[in-house]
Every structure is written in C-alpha cells, then in structure tokens.
Amino acid sequence: MRTGITGTIRAMILVISFFFVSAGLFGADIYVRAGASGKGSMEEPYGELWKAMERAIRGDVIHVAEGVYTGKGGSGAFIAKVPSLTLAGGYSPDFSSRNPFSSMTILKRAEDYKGDNTGLPNGIVSGQGDHSNLTVDGFVIEGRTRNKYRNTGDISESGSFSGPLFETGSPNVRIRNCIILNPFGVGVYCKWQGEENEVVNTFVLNSFYTGISTRSAQENAVILIKNCTIGFTWNQTNKGGGTSVFIGSQGRTVLENNIFMFNQLYGVHNGFGNEDTVMKDNVFFQCQGGYYHFMDDDGKNLLAWKEEDLKDLNDEPEFYMLWEAGGNTAKAPGLKPDSDYFEKFTNFAAAEPGKLEMDEMNKWRQSLGLPLQAGPGKGKSNYGHAYPLAAVAPNLAAPGSRAGVNMGADFATYASEAAEGKSHDYKTKEFADFKRGTEGVKDMKGEPVSFRAGLGPDKQRWFETIAARSDYRCVMLLKPGEEDEYTRDFMLGYILKGSEAEKAWNKYYKKLKKYNAEGIVIKGVAHYLDDSYMYPVAIVVNEISAE
C-alpha cells in the first residue's frame, strides 16, 4: 500500500468478465512541485518528477506544477514504465489552475550535467517496457542543454546529442499542449501502434531533421497530428532533413489544421507514397524545397511546390497519394518569431538564392525591425542557433486562425479513476491443495486464495476469459523448493502489467534463489482450467510479499 497519496479520487466500478477486481487495477493522483520534499500528495508533493515516475503504477495520474525538472542526476531522462500513465503539466504552484503555455513545466537536461550519454534513452521523454496508453499533456521538452554550441551561437553537430526529444514504442500515445524545442534530430519519433495516437496543439520547433516522424508507424496505426505549429527545421550535414512531418510507409497519418513553416526542405514528406495519408486545412509557409513531396504509384518522386499544386491536391487527392485532402493553403500565418533568431535563420537560408519567397520574407523582417535584405551567411555561420523558449508563446500562435496552436484551448482536468477496490477474504492454502485430483480443486472459480510459491520464468499461455494477453503478464508459480523451469510442479500466474504486484514480482525475481526455497506469499483469485495440467489452476495475482 503506497502512503502519502491523496487528492481527488473518483470511484469507478468496473465489471470484468471473470467477476473480480484486481488490486492496483486503478491508479492514484500524484503531485509534483519542483523543490518540494513530500511524498506525493497535493499538500506535500514530490520535488522530482522522475521519482514519481519510478514509483508510478498502472493508471496513475501525475500532476506537475510549473518549474524546471532535470531528471535523475540531472540527466534529463523521464521514462514511462507502466501502462495507462498520464503526465499532466502546466499547473500553478498550488495546483488550483492549469495553463501549460503560461505556467510552464520544463523538462530538460541540467545546465551543469557532468555525466555522459551511456545508458540514457534517446528521448527526454521515453518509454520502457509496456507503456501503452501514455498521455503527456502540458510540458516544455527542451533540447538546448543536450546540444553543444560554438561561441558564435552556431550549433556543433559533432558535440550534440542526436536523439529525438520524445520517443516511445508502445501503442496509443497522446501528446497534447506541449512545446518541443531545439532537438538535434527529430522532435517526436515513435513506433506508432494502435488507432489512438495523437500530437495535438503542440509546438515542434528548431528541429535538425524533422519535427514529427511517423516513419516507424506499424500497420493499421492511426496518428492524428492536429493544430500543431511545426517549423524552423534544418538539414543535418550528410543526413538531410529539413521537413515538418516525415510520413512512413505504413499506418495512416492524419494532418489537420497545422502550420508548416520555415523548412529548409519540405512541409510534408511522403516519400514512401503512403496513400492512406490525410491532409486537410493546413497552412504552408516558406517551405524552401516545396510544400509536399511524394512518390506516386509509378515510383516517381514528385513535388507540389506551387499554389496551383495545392489547389489541385485539394480537389483530387488520389493523384497525390492522399486518402483525403482539402483546404490546404500557402500563406503567411501572422506570427512574430524572435527577431535575433529569425535574422540568423533567414541569413543562413539566404545563402541559397531562390529558396525564399523574398517579398513575404521581407514583410516579416520589416515587422521585426530587421533590414529588408537578409545577409548571406558563410559556411556554418548562423547555423542552428537555439530558439529561445520565452519567444514561443504567444509569439508563435496565430491569432484568429484555425490552424496552428490555440493558446486559448480548454485544458483538460485529469483525475485518476481510482476504485474503492474489492476487499478479498483470502483463504490460506498449501501449494498441494491446487494439485490435480485434490478435493475441491475443480470448484475454484473465482476463489480468493493465499499461498506460498516460488518465482519462475514468463510463459506464453493465455486464457482470455481469465486474463487478457494485452494487459497481463503470464508467469510460472513454482512449488516451493523447485528451481527447474521444466518442472511440472507449477501453476500459471497472471500479473497485471504495471501494477504494484508486478513491481514486487520484479523485485523478488532478482533474488529468486533466496526466496524460492520457501516461496513468497501470493494472494490472488484462483480459476480452475482443466486436468491437462498437474496443477490445473491459474491464479490472477493481486498481491505479492515476502511474508
């Protein structure tokens, strides 16, 4: 039982086909405020987000107040390790209100970090194990302190960490109301799976390769990218890039109401010719290589680079490898980027004559008090300066536009669906009581039991009416004293992924030789299977303890 976790808890009753409620099936509300020293309640929050994430179980909602969070040892690593975890940032210090674009919750590597990258994940936010149904809402994910800059402010490619800022590998990941800034590589790169993925109302800025990639999308995945502002994307030397969105060969990428701007190459790259792509009501501006690059059915690499191309694309999307399209336009979105950064970006771009729409560019430069004509940079001069966080919001929101980030959005209020839980009266059993032929064994259909068992390896045997493969882990529960995984003296155990029970199992499994002689205490619900097993009972595990 975790202590120190309070807050608003909504009771919820869940009916499960096998008529029980697992302990830890629902999460709790956990609170974090930079500099605090509590244990996770609203009144006494954790001071570090990484600690809350390490202790989180399935279904937890972690509410994070404004401030700077640098991860364990200042490494800038925040790892989701359990399913159905929600990270909600942008709260005021007392958690009474939430606006991610004014009360900024900043995740980054510490300015004075002394370690190297050994063992660190690619992302500042990343996933490990089963982290399906992850929601990350209301964070600044800042890559500047993972990069190396010269005295002139130009980025050093050799000294910068090239991993994405956000990288996950489980199904159904949601990114909302975030600022993803200054990645030396991709802003968002996931192994997209499932039909409920989204990047919504999010800035992705100053990327070195692409803002958002769906290149690793799996078959039948759906990724919604909506109301995002993605721009100032650069080429990496000998690697290419410079696009707002890179679309993979599989899955369906849905692009709606976005602003794609100031790309050294394309607004949208569909070079694999994914004809399931949807592109509606997006604004393209200053995409130096063209608005939309695609490969057609005949294997030709083609480019939509004129406004007339966009109009035709809207009318007849099937000729452009699009499932659906409409309302896409090329126009100035009316933003006010940081003047110093903008001058350097346009000076660098001006080194390539003919790449910029100079009339529009000069209007922007004039509005920022800059000379009308950009001065071309030399070599790596003006290359890849960090974009300042202070100049993102509200500067890069388009007032009165349906496209891009909407800073006046209604920000969701999250609360865990914590249950009161079902109190089990566990009946103490011996391991031998579950053996085939034992009196009463066939009557075990949802009986709460407590017994001792050793820890065995994972198995791949599934009975979906007892425990769904997607949510549970199957393990061998050994007769105490057994150590051989090939023994017939075992039962199947099903442990809910990301639960307190799974955390305990993993802890004891590291020292299984210590515990297997007498076994650990297993509390769960017993279900008779059939007599083909020496021990024909499966246990849905609720609790695990040494004593």
Side-chain angles (χ1 to χ4, degrees), residues 5-66:
I5 298 175
T6 61
T8 304
I9 295 180
R10 293 184 293 152
M12 179 179 180
I13 299 174
L14 183 67
V15 179
I16 303 178
S17 61
F18 37 94
F19 308 109
F20 77 96
V21 177
S22 289
L25 182 58
F26 300 95
D29 292 282
I30 303 172
Y31 296 85
V32 181
R33 183 176 62 239
S37 57
K39 295 296 184 181
S41 68
M42 184 185 292
E43 298 79 14
E44 297 181 350
Y46 285 120
E48 297 283 357
L49 173 58
W50 69 266
K51 288 185 178 180
M53 293 179 71
E54 284 290 329
R55 291 169 175 155
I57 65 168
R58 184 189 188 100
D60 278 352
V61 176
I62 303 177
H63 308 265
V64 192
E66 63 182 71

Side-chain angles (χ1 to χ4, degrees), residues 65-338:
E66 63 182 71
V68 177
Y69 301 85
T70 58
K72 189 176 184 180
S75 62
F78 299 88
I79 306 171
K81 300 180 179 181
V82 296
S84 301
L85 179 66
T86 297
L87 307 179
Y91 283 94
S92 60
D94 62 357
F95 301 99
S96 63
S97 62
R98 192 171 89 89
N99 186 326
F101 298 120
S102 58
S103 297
M104 291 189 178
T105 303
I106 302 169
L107 310 182
K108 68 176 188 177
R109 180 175 287 185
E111 302 275 354
D112 58 351
Y113 178 65
K114 300 299 183 184
D116 59 24
N117 298 322
T118 303
L120 292 179
N122 284 329
I124 286 180
V125 175
S126 61
Q128 179 179 313
D130 183 356
H131 50 280
S132 54
N133 298 303
L134 171 67
T135 298
V136 178
D137 186 335
F139 291 85
V140 175
I141 305 175
E142 167 66 277
R144 179 183 59 81
T145 50
R146 302 202 310 177
N147 300 335
K148 183 178 180 181
Y149 298 90
R150 299 183 177 89
N151 292 335
T152 57
D154 306 316
I155 199 164
S156 169
E157 291 182 290
S158 61
S160 297
F161 187 32
S162 61
L165 293 188
F166 191 106
E167 184 177 37
T168 58
S170 286
N172 300 326
V173 173
R174 293 167 285 274
I175 304 168
R176 301 167 178 161
N177 308 307
C178 289
I179 299 173
I180 298 174
L181 190 62
N182 298 316
F184 187 69
V186 182
V188 178
Y189 186 95
C190 299
K191 185 180 179 181
W192 303 100
Q193 303 172 69
E195 298 181 354
E196 298 178 15
N197 302 285
E198 62 182 57
V199 186
V200 172
N201 212 49
T202 289
F203 293 99
V204 186
L205 302 168
N206 211 38
S207 303
F208 286 79
Y209 195 74
T210 194
I212 300 174
S213 175
T214 64
R215 188 168 185 170
S216 290
Q218 304 300 292
E219 187 177 6
N220 300 322
V222 178
I223 309 100
L224 173 64
I225 301 172
K226 184 174 182 179
N227 280 107
C228 292
T229 300
I230 309 172
F232 298 118
T233 62
W234 303 78
N235 285 313
Q236 276 196 51
T237 303
N238 300 322
K239 291 185 179 180
T243 64
S244 281
V245 177
F246 193 118
I247 295 170
S249 61
Q250 297 190 118
R252 171 168 292 178
T253 301
V254 180
L255 305 170
E256 294 184 0
N257 296 104
N258 303 290
I259 295 174
F260 305 130
M261 63 178 193
F262 296 109
N263 299 289
Q264 288 197 331
L265 205 56
Y266 315 121
V268 176
H269 189 297
N270 189 9
F272 291 109
N274 186 332
E275 61 185 358
D276 289 327
T277 303
V278 175
M279 202 162 74
K280 297 174 65 177
D281 300 315
N282 301 288
V283 173
F284 295 82
F285 184 66
Q286 297 292 0
C287 302
Q288 297 171 33
Y291 305 126
Y292 173 66
H293 177 267
F294 65 103
M295 182 176 68
D296 73 359
D297 282 326
D298 298 323
K300 297 190 297 292
N301 284 301
L302 301 173
L303 185 66
W305 60 278
K306 297 182 291 186
E307 290 190 44
E308 293 78 16
D309 296 335
L310 280 182
K311 292 176 182 178
D312 194 52
L313 175 153
N314 291 330
D315 292 338
E316 299 189 89
E318 65 273 15
F319 294 133
Y320 293 84
M321 303 304 288
L322 294 170
W323 184 261
E324 188 177 355
N328 299 289
T329 58
K331 63 181 181 181
L335 313 181
K336 294 183 178 179
D338 178 76

